Amino acid sequence: MGAGSSKQKITSQDKAILDLKVQRDKLKQYQKKINVVVDKELELARRALSQGDKRKALLALKKKKYQEQLLEKTEEQLMTLEGMTQSIEYALVEKQVLEGLKHGNDVLKEIHKEMSVEDVERIMDDTADAIAYQNEIDELLSDKITAEDEEEILAELETLQKEELEAELPQVPQNPVVSKPTSVSLPEVPTHVPGRVENVGI
């Protein structure tokens, strides 16, 4: 079961990227082999010249040139593979971003369905009605309340504020207990100690 679920996770895009990377690795290995052949042909050309065999040296250099041309083509193919791999990977990222945007749009549509234009207008109307009703009450009360009533109301408000402030303050004991200092009686020092002979002037 685990193997089957893991196979299902591999998409065609993942397989395409994997194939491209495998081909890239093969081309890099082929490049290394070509570089070995190029170095070998160059060494043969030098050895042939040292032996005075110009024809053999020329043939080795021609083979070297052919291998270098193969190396250039391989480099071009590598660049093509790298570009294609990056394009596919970027397209996948772009696809994920688009899917995220699509999901966001779907969520917005659901929210708009839940809160339609009619609902918004109804809420605005209810709010406007509530404000108008409050204004009517304020005007009605302002007509009925005199200046003296206004002063009494303000005084009552101030009293309520003081009571609220006192309720928040910590309670102080009404009858604090004051501790009186206790007198300490010291022992009397005797003026005459038995057995002691006082000096008597002769």
Side-chain angles (χ1 to χ4, degrees):
M1 297 228 4
S5 59
S6 63
K7 286 182 179 179
Q8 291 177 357
K9 292 180 181 178
I10 299 175
T11 63
S12 58
Q13 294 90 348
D14 295 332
K15 190 174 183 304
I17 293 174
L18 180 61
D19 291 341
L20 288 172
K21 289 182 177 180
V22 170
Q23 293 299 321
R24 177 199 62 189
D25 294 339
K26 287 182 178 180
L27 281 175
K28 286 183 177 181
Q29 291 175 359
Y30 183 61
Q31 273 185 328
K32 290 179 181 179
K33 291 180 180 179
I34 293 177
N35 283 320
V36 171
V37 174
V38 168
D39 294 338
K40 183 179 178 181
E41 295 296 340
L42 182 59
E43 182 63 28
L44 288 173
R46 286 174 178 170
R47 191 183 307 167
L49 283 176
S50 65
Q51 295 173 355
D53 193 346
K54 186 177 178 181
R55 186 182 62 81
K56 190 174 182 181
L58 186 60
L59 180 61
L61 289 176
K62 287 181 178 179
K63 290 181 179 179
K64 172 180 168 290
K65 184 63 176 178
Y66 175 71
Q67 296 296 327
E68 287 175 345
Q69 290 175 350
L70 289 178
L71 198 60
E72 289 178 2
K73 291 180 180 178
T74 306
E75 187 65 30
E76 291 176 359
Q77 290 177 350
L78 268 176
M79 291 178 63
T80 303
L81 284 175
E82 289 285 355
M84 191 174 295
T85 304
Q86 291 176 2
S87 298
I88 294 175
E89 289 176 341
Y90 178 76
L92 288 175
V93 173
E94 198 173 32
K95 179 184 175 184
Q96 292 175 354
V97 172
L98 291 175
E99 287 177 353
L101 290 174
K102 181 178 179 298
H103 178 68
N105 287 331
D106 293 340
V107 172
L108 284 175
K109 288 178 182 177
E110 291 297 326
I111 294 174
H112 290 158
K113 285 180 182 178
E114 295 176 2
M115 182 62 70
S116 61
V117 177
E118 291 78 9
D119 293 333
V120 175
E121 290 177 351
R122 178 177 53 78
I123 292 173
M124 295 297 293
D125 291 340
D126 293 343
T127 304
D129 292 342
I131 293 173
Y133 180 70
Q134 183 65 40
N135 291 335
E136 290 178 4
I137 293 176
D138 292 340
E139 291 177 1
L140 181 63
L141 290 176
S142 62
D143 293 340
K144 300 294 182 181
I145 295 176
T146 62
E148 294 178 357
D149 294 334
E150 188 74 25
E151 291 180 0
E152 291 180 2
I153 291 171
L154 292 175
E156 185 177 3
L157 176 62
E158 186 177 354
T159 303
L160 290 174
Q161 289 176 339
K162 288 182 179 178
E163 291 177 356
E164 185 69 21
L165 182 60
E166 291 174 356
E168 294 177 357
L169 294 175
Q171 298 294 329
V172 180
Q174 297 295 332
N175 297 320
V177 179
V178 181
S179 58
K180 296 180 179 180
T182 56
S183 58
V184 179
S185 57
L186 300 174
E188 296 180 359
V189 180
T191 57
H192 174 72
V193 180
R196 181 179 176 183
V197 179
E198 297 180 356
N199 294 330
V200 178
I202 300 177

